[in-house]
């Protein structure tokens, strides 16, 4: 290669308005057609595709070079914009009415045959594409995702900056503190035996910034959590982190609502409602079996305890007498649920949600039949049909177990049934806020109270007495924003009073010494005038996943990890040599 052809245009902008212009383009060969004396290439860059033409009669030099080229070769061309014949117009392309008749070409780089068809992303398995992620990023789907991500970040920064928020970077190497998941640890070479942690969130730093007088802070920031993964989780992810001083819960909910509305309007041109519905945590769990409900369809969980007490079904009666729960859900098209399908649903619930079984009854000719119906007399069956508005050809699914299992299993079954029955309008957006989360949850394994969010979350001041007398009933000033069954973000009003913070530490079993070791720098800062403050963090990756219509978060991160936290492209994590370990004073032990 002896020169670079400086581009005058991108591959997505030329039209009939540019006829007869001399233009220059750079890009990758996406498609190739050889018609003997004419060769056609689709030239691709991230802006689009333009068809270019090599005519042997007009320029045999460029034609002879083009004969040797193939897919994904990188070239630069210059030529004249010409109109396509009417029969060759491609209405699906922005440039589909024109061609470039090439008069000069430079080959920058020839490509080996690509390991998969870049014009058809699904031509290879995800594992194979992840190994060649730099090639998958050439596909139109991922190029669109990366552009949409960039545009979203711009809108977020503009929105918050216009409200006087300041973007401040916080450290990536920090002190290890309990945040609810495992830290990624970084050994210090200089300070042997000591470790930094990668931040699970900038929680303590943003609270320190409030003490510093920066009353409106935000940051689009990398966070790290060493936890088990799903399609919508990654070991490193990006948050829109926000903190404010002198605010109450409603102020942050209003800000979060307006930011979400702005993103959806600017990026996908969707007008979300001015105010989002609110559910308490308890309402959400009881009605939908989850704290992130998809409310695009109704199908709420039904109370079934009273009917069990009046029945002869002793299995569920025993569960109720042991302080368990019995709840149900109804579903249309009962005739489509054969015993085989019901058994498959039962096995799925047993495997993934620890449910002991799945009871059922079908309604036909206004009578409940099949399953456990024999344990209910006719008058009780009629009462169930009337009370729960059961229609003909509906099936009732019932689970009895501990409360946690009943709610989570039925919540999952609700989504599965809705998907089977096509009850979800995929064009609809259904945001809501979930509020009044519990302050703490009981850790059965360690016999202690754990903070549901983090130890700096303020209890609802109306429940301060419960913090001492019955902590499990105390509500927090915590809140989550949910969209279509996904948690977009969450946050809380923070504790800014040192006495209340000490009370919460005591409840969590954190003694003064441990509190000082882990959070002493924050507690010391609070001695010097801490304002009342609160905030939230949005999951940027999850927002982009929803906006692009993708089913998994890996599609919207340039270089993601697999569900087992590996990068197939660069083979990380990897072993390091003994010299590096010696410098760090580390020795690898076999994991038990």
């Amino acid at each position: 290669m002896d020169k670079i052809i400086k581009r005058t245009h991108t591959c997505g902008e030329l039209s009939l308005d540019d006829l007869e212009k001399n233009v220059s383009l750079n890009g990758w060969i996406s498609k190739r057609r050889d018609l003997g004396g004419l060769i056609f290439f689709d030239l691709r860059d991230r802006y689009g595709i333009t068809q270019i033409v090599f005519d042997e009669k007009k320029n045999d030099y460029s034609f002879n070079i083009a004969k040797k080229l193939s897919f994904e070769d990188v070239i630069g061309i210059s030529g004249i914009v010409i109109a396509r014949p009417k029969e060759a117009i491609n209405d699906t392309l922005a440039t589909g009415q024109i061609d470039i008749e090439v008069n000069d070409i430079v080959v920058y780089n020839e490509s080996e045959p690509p390991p998969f068809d870049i014009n058809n992303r699904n031509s290879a398995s995800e594992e194979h594409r992840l190994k060649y992620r730099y090639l998958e990023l050439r596909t139109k789907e991922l190029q669109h995702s990366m552009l949409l991500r960039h545009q979203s970040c711009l809108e977020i920064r503009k929105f918050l900056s216009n409200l006087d928020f300041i973007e401040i970077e916080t450290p990536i190497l920090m002190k290890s503190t309990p945040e609810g998941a495992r830290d990624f640890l970084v050994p210090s070479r200089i300070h042997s035996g000591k470790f930094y942690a990668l931040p699970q969130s900038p929680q303590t730093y943003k609270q320190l910034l409030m003490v510093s007088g920066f009353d409106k802070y935000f940051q689009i920031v990398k966070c790290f959590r060493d936890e088990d993964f799903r399609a919508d989780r990654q070991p490193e992810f990006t948050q829109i982190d926000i903190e404010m001083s002198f605010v109450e819960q409603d102020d942050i909910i209003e800000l979060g609502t307006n930011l979400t509305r702005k993103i959806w309007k600017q990026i996908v041109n969707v007008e979300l409602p001015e105010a989002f519905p609110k559910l308490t945590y308890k309402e959400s769990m009881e009605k939908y079996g989850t704290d992130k409900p998809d409310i695009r369809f109704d199908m709420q969980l039904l109370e079934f305890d009273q009917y069990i007490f009046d029945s002869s079904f002793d299995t569920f009666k025993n569960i109720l007498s042991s302080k368990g729960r019995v709840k149900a859900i109804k579903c249309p098209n009962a005739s489509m649920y054969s015993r085989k399908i019901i058994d498959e649903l039962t096995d799925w619930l047993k495997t993934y949600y620890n449910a002991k079984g799945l009871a059922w009854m079908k309604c036909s000719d206004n009578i409940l039949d099949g399953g456990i119906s024999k344990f209910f007399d006719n008058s009780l069956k009629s009462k169930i049909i009337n009370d729960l508005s059961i229609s003909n050809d509906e099936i009732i699914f019932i689970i009895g177990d501990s409360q946690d299992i009943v709610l989570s299993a039925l919540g999952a079954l609700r989504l599965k049934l809705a998907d089977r029955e096509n009850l979800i309008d995929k064009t609809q957006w259904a945001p809501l806020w979930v509020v009044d989360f519990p302050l703490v949850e009981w850790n059965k394994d360690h016999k202690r109270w754990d903070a549901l969010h983090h130890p700096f979350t303020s209890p609802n001041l109306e429940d301060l007495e419960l913090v001492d007398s019955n902590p499990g009933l105390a509500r927090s000033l915590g809140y989550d924003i949910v969209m279509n069954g996904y948690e977009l973000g969450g946050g809380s009003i923070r504790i800014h009073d040192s006495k209340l913070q000490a009370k919460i530490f005591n409840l969590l079993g954190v003694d003064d010494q441990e509190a000082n070791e882990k959070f002493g720098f924050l507690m010391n800062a609070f001695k010097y005038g801490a304002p009342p403050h609160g905030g939230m963090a949005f999951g940027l990756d999850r927002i982009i996943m929803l906006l692009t219509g993708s089913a998994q978060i890996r599609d919207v991160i340039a270089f993601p990890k697999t569900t087992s936290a590996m990068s197939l492209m660069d083979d990380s994590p990897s072993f390091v040599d003994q010299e590096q370990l010696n410098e760090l004073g580390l020795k690898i032990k076999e994991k038990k």
Side-chain angles (χ1 to χ4, degrees), residues 387-442:
D387 289 354
L388 303 182
S389 301
I390 308 297
S391 302
N392 281 323
D393 201 30
E394 282 191 327
I395 183 170
I396 312 172
F397 289 109
I398 311 143
I399 294 179
D401 215 309
S402 66
Q403 175 167 291
D404 290 348
I405 290 176
V406 167
L407 295 179
S408 64
L410 279 177
L413 182 61
R414 173 180 179 267
L415 293 174
K416 198 172 191 71
L417 295 175
D419 188 53
R420 284 181 61 94
E421 302 300 328
N422 295 314
L423 299 179
I424 304 173
D425 181 355
K426 299 296 177 65
T427 66
Q428 185 183 352
W429 296 103
L432 76 149
W433 288 93
V434 178
V435 299
D436 288 347
F437 277 83
L439 179 67
V440 292
E441 58 184 348
W442 184 249

Side-chain angles (χ1 to χ4, degrees), residues 58-104:
K58 294 184 179 180
N59 191 318
D60 62 346
Y61 170 76
S62 295
F63 180 86
N64 287 328
I65 293 175
K67 282 173 61 176
K68 302 173 184 177
L69 299 177
S70 189
F71 302 120
E72 301 308 314
D73 292 344
V74 191
I75 64 173
I77 61 100
S78 60
I80 304 295
V81 181
I82 60 173
R84 287 193 188 189
K86 285 186 178 180
E87 65 273 13
I89 288 174
N90 184 347
D91 292 328
T92 64
L93 282 180
T95 60
Q97 293 182 300
I98 60 96
D99 288 336
I100 309 298
E101 192 174 76
V102 177
N103 55 42
D104 192 17

Side-chain angles (χ1 to χ4, degrees), residues 163-333:
L163 293 174
D164 292 329
F165 281 81
I166 301 174
E167 184 166 13
I168 303 175
E169 292 183 348
T170 52
I172 292 297
L173 296 176
M174 64 175 288
K175 182 183 181 69
S176 178
T177 58
E179 292 275 1
R182 297 181 187 90
D183 285 328
F184 281 105
L185 298 177
V186 181
S188 170
R189 178 182 59 84
I190 297 171
H191 303 284
S192 181
K194 293 187 177 182
F195 293 81
Y196 302 102
L198 302 182
Q200 295 184 35
S201 80
Q203 182 61 50
T204 51
Y205 289 113
K206 65 183 181 182
Q207 291 190 254
L208 289 169
L209 287 170
M210 296 300 104
V211 177
S212 301
F214 294 100
D215 63 317
K216 291 183 176 182
Y217 143 93
F218 85 99
Q219 187 182 186
I220 299 178
V221 59
K222 278 280 192 182
C223 301
F224 308 85
R225 290 180 187 171
D226 187 4
E227 58 185 351
D228 296 329
F229 305 109
R230 299 194 299 264
D232 62 335
R233 286 188 181 179
Q234 283 279 292
E236 52 181 307
F237 57 96
T238 305
Q239 281 187 181
I240 310 162
D241 205 45
I242 299 170
E243 197 78 5
M244 302 164 67
S245 293
F246 310 111
V247 290
E248 296 178 318
Q249 177 171 292
D250 286 347
D251 299 314
I252 298 171
I253 286 177
E254 181 182 7
L255 175 78
T257 298
N258 291 337
L259 176 56
T260 305
R261 295 184 72 241
K262 180 73 169 179
I263 295 170
W264 257 253
K265 175 61 179 174
Q266 295 299 117
I267 302 303
V268 291
N269 196 29
V270 168
E271 289 276 5
L272 296 175
E274 290 188 9
F276 300 166
K278 284 183 186 176
L279 283 175
T280 67
Y281 172 85
K282 185 175 181 179
E283 288 172 333
S284 182
M285 295 301 296
E286 291 292 337
K287 290 181 178 180
Y288 303 105
T290 177
D291 59 3
K292 45 182 183 294
D294 188 339
I295 58 171
R296 288 176 294 176
F297 64 103
D298 194 32
M299 197 186 278
Q300 295 184 17
L301 277 54
L302 307 169
E303 292 294 346
F304 216 75
D305 293 8
Q306 59 179 314
Y307 309 116
I308 296 301
F309 286 126
D310 293 335
S311 75
S312 60
F313 193 47
D314 291 340
T315 301
F316 279 178
K317 283 185 176 181
N318 292 336
I319 287 171
L320 292 174
S321 65
S322 302
K323 298 184 179 180
R325 300 286 302 277
V326 178
K327 290 179 77 79
I329 195 167
K330 62 181 181 177
C331 177
N333 297 322

